[in-house]
Amino acid sequence: MKHISVLIKPASSLCNLRCKYCFYADVSSLREVRSYGRMKKEVAEKMIKNIFSDLENGDELTLAFQGGEPTLAGLKYYENIVQLVKQQEKKVYVHYAIQTNGMLINFAWCKFFKENNFLVGLSIDGLPLYHNQNRVDVRGKGTFQKVLHTKRLFDKFEIEYNVLCVLTNQLAKEATKVFHFLKNESIRFVQFIPCMDDLDAKGNSSYSLTPKNFSIFYRELLQLWLNDLISGHYISIKLFDDVVNLLVNKQITACGILGNCQIQYVIEADGSVYPCDFYVLDEYRMGYIQEETLRELFEKESAVSFICAPRKLTDFCQNCELKRICQGGCKRMKDVMYVDKENNICGYKELLVELIPQIPLILNEMGKLTLC
């Protein structure tokens, strides 16, 4: 049995917010076509057919939807996707996920998510001040209260969701406040996404994270999280989970965690397919899902060259005693969480040095929670 994950952008780079640090707005601006609009029904039909052509009975498939803002594709688009999946003859276990800013979510969306077991990612930047500074609508107004209302709708409908928080340089100094917000709102799953500079940036923006502040944030968060875990309360923080899964279970649960790229199969609204969400650019286009299967796309020279592109590690990395469990990490994240430009520190290494010795304690405390 195999498990394939596909990331679909049904509304391309269209969005109803104007987040100041949006990486996909930057990526799409570098293409010949900035937005491919909304996915047409015939593209969706051929997409599902060609994805299933590589699958067998008993396989698993995750269809994840992102943007831009994927809810702009409309609820009928997702109802059609679910019906197309049900019409396939092969008995494949299909999981659905969607990442949303929460602005359009209402009872109808919640009812659909619940009935079809969608895992929802909701973007909330930890604290009202920083959320409202960066995650603004088309009029420049903050959106925190609306998103918090959506979060409480998810609670009411008992929808499985996690929170995605963009970790800016400013927010990285507020680990204690962020952790208390997560506890107060009973948020059980959170992923912090390091804020990056634009792909073609000549210098650092005020938002982009630095390895030093990455280290400060996560080391402070680790102590808060451990104290809470010992007290019998557990919040799933994705990076901590990823490290434990890698070192204990030998499972890779995050792309790039071992320094090598993996094909993600990112499908844009026009059916064009790319190897990574960070590189949805014309020069990385592998082909079109309505014309070829995922297997055929994977075997293309453009896909192979992306995966096999050589990495040049700094001397700092080459001489690091933790190199074998990192290998320089994700190349797109290299300036925000790994080695700084002066080659003085690695934010990720500083976290690992504190996290790894705590793994026996973590496993023991989590075992206690499982038994309760």
Side-chain angles (χ1 to χ4, degrees):
M1 293 189 299
K2 56 183 176 290
H3 188 173
I4 292 178
S5 295
V6 180
L7 182 62
I8 303 166
K9 293 181 176 290
S12 191
S13 62
L14 298 175
C15 192
N16 49 359
L17 294 189
R18 298 295 181 267
C19 300
K20 296 177 182 178
Y21 48 56
C22 180
F23 86 87
Y24 204 67
D26 167 52
V27 169
S28 61
S29 72
L30 301 175
R31 301 188 307 224
E32 185 176 336
V33 178
R34 186 167 193 149
S35 174
Y36 297 105
R38 293 170 176 82
M39 183 177 286
K40 295 178 180 178
K41 192 172 183 178
E42 55 266 30
V43 174
E45 291 174 356
K46 292 178 180 177
M47 175 181 71
I48 296 300
K49 178 182 177 181
N50 277 350
I51 289 173
F52 268 78
S53 67
D54 287 331
L55 299 172
E56 305 296 339
N57 290 333
D59 287 345
E60 289 189 59
L61 169 67
T62 296
L63 297 177
F65 301 90
Q66 246 185 34
E69 173 50 38
T71 58
L72 288 175
L75 185 54
K76 288 185 178 179
Y77 169 85
Y78 294 94
E79 292 171 339
N80 181 52
I81 289 290
V82 170
Q83 287 305 311
L84 289 172
V85 168
K86 289 179 178 178
Q87 290 168 12
Q88 305 305 308
E89 294 182 359
K90 294 175 183 175
K91 303 302 180 183
V92 173
Y93 300 99
V94 180
H95 311 278
Y96 297 103
I98 188 170
Q99 179 64 45
T100 178
N101 59 33
M103 298 300 291
L104 297 180
I105 302 302
N106 54 23
F107 276 52
W109 279 102
C110 288
K111 184 173 181 288
F112 173 79
F113 289 153
K114 184 64 178 178
E115 289 176 350
N116 294 283
N117 298 311
F118 267 65
L119 170 62
V120 183
L122 181 63
S123 297
I124 307 178
D125 279 359
L127 302 171
L129 172 64
Y130 298 103
H131 183 106
N132 285 333
Q133 280 180 354
N134 298 320
R135 302 190 63 81
V136 297
D137 62 20
V138 294
R139 297 170 298 171
K141 301 294 184 181
T143 58
F144 182 82
Q145 288 303 322
K146 168 58 182 171
V147 179
L148 200 62
H149 173 73
T150 295
K151 181 259 178 198
R152 288 169 182 164
L153 269 181
F154 290 161
D155 289 334
K156 179 177 180 178
F157 277 83
E158 298 181 340
I159 291 167
E160 187 178 357
Y161 70 93
N162 56 54
V163 163
L164 187 148
C165 177
V166 177
L167 187 60
T168 61
N169 229 18
Q170 294 83 3
L171 191 63
K173 300 169 186 175
E174 305 284 4
T176 298
K177 290 181 181 178
V178 170
F179 189 74
H180 288 159
F181 168 78
L182 297 173
K183 287 188 63 177
N184 290 340
E185 287 296 329
S186 301
I187 293 168
R188 296 174 53 227
F189 302 91
V190 63
Q191 178 179 4
F192 295 98
I193 302 295
C195 185
M196 304 173 292
D197 278 317
D198 292 348
L199 267 173
D200 59 350
K202 299 295 187 292
N204 289 62
S205 73
S206 61
Y207 310 110
S208 63
L209 193 62
T210 63
K212 179 180 179 181
N213 284 336
F214 171 92
S215 170
I216 290 171
F217 176 82
Y218 266 108
R219 287 188 295 127
E220 182 177 341
L221 189 69
L222 176 63
Q223 295 309 313
L224 295 164
W225 182 75
L226 285 172
N227 292 338
D228 220 43
L229 183 60
I230 292 170
S231 300
H233 183 260
Y234 172 68
I235 296 176
S236 170
I237 297 175
K238 191 173 188 304
L239 183 58
F240 297 162
D241 292 346
D242 290 336
V243 173
V244 172
N245 278 324
L246 178 66
L247 298 182
V248 176
N249 302 320
K250 312 302 180 188
Q251 294 177 344
I252 298 174
T253 53
C255 183
I257 196 169
L258 285 178
N260 56 308
C261 293
Q262 303 168 16
I263 295 294
Q264 293 182 329
Y265 296 123
V266 181
I267 303 178
E268 256 284 7
D270 67 337
S272 54
V273 184
Y274 306 82
C276 174
D277 197 26
F278 293 143
Y279 295 94
V280 185
L281 299 166
D282 297 336
E283 58 264 39
Y284 293 103
R285 186 184 299 116
M286 296 156 56
Y288 292 85
I289 191 62
Q290 60 267 47
E291 299 172 0
E292 299 174 276
T293 69
L294 292 178
R295 180 176 297 167
E296 290 168 338
L297 291 164
F298 181 82
E299 292 172 349
K300 286 199 166 187
E301 183 179 343
S302 57
V304 175
S305 62
F306 181 83
I307 293 176
C308 300
R311 293 288 304 278
K312 184 178 180 181
L313 299 183
T314 65
D315 290 341
F316 190 102
C317 289
Q318 293 287 9
N319 298 321
C320 177
E321 63 272 23
L322 299 176
K323 184 177 76 168
R324 66 182 181 83
I325 59 171
C326 171
Q327 294 295 334
C330 170
K331 65 182 179 182
R332 187 66 178 93
M333 296 284 186
K334 61 183 177 64
D335 293 329
V336 296
M337 62 179 281
Y338 298 103
V339 182
D340 65 5
K341 296 184 185 301
E342 292 76 31
N343 281 309
N344 290 328
I345 69 162
C346 172
Y348 188 53
K349 177 183 177 181
E350 290 194 348
L351 170 63
L352 290 181
V353 167
E354 293 197 13
L355 175 56
I356 291 174
Q358 301 293 342
I359 288 180
L361 170 65
I362 293 169
L363 295 176
N364 183 58
E365 294 301 323
M366 291 182 70
K368 290 180 183 177
L369 291 176
T370 303
L371 293 173
C372 291

